[in-house]
Amino acid sequence: MYTLMQKESDVSLQGRVLGLLISVSAFGVPAGMLVFGPLADVVDVRLLFVVGGLMTVPIGAYVMRSARRNRVAE
């Protein structure tokens, strides 16, 4: 993802884009632990991993379809 962001963002904005992306990633880890930590006591952790992994396929397909639709519109 970082490589794609470097390729697609303007050269003058690369530091800002990557800095923002790293900040969001650094905030997402503790936020995910706050959400999924208590949930791990209720639901089996393996099930959370499987469901999360399976959800990446439709979300990735949606993002790719949206990007292709936006590129065709340009």
Side-chain angles (χ1 to χ4, degrees):
M1 184 169 142
Y2 293 117
T3 304
L4 182 63
M5 289 298 292
Q6 285 177 343
K7 180 182 172 192
E8 295 295 325
S9 62
D10 188 37
V11 175
S12 62
L13 297 175
Q14 281 183 356
R16 293 181 182 173
V17 169
L18 292 175
L20 179 66
L21 193 61
I22 290 170
S23 298
V24 169
S25 298
F27 176 74
V29 171
M33 289 302 292
L34 287 174
V35 171
F36 291 111
L39 191 60
D41 293 336
V42 179
V43 180
D44 187 26
V45 175
R46 290 177 288 190
L47 180 65
L48 289 175
F49 280 124
V50 169
V51 170
L54 291 176
M55 288 302 294
T56 58
V57 174
I59 291 171
Y62 172 76
V63 169
M64 288 176 57
R65 186 174 52 228
S66 297
R68 187 176 303 142
R69 194 175 314 140
N70 290 339
R71 194 166 281 195
V72 170
E74 293 174 356

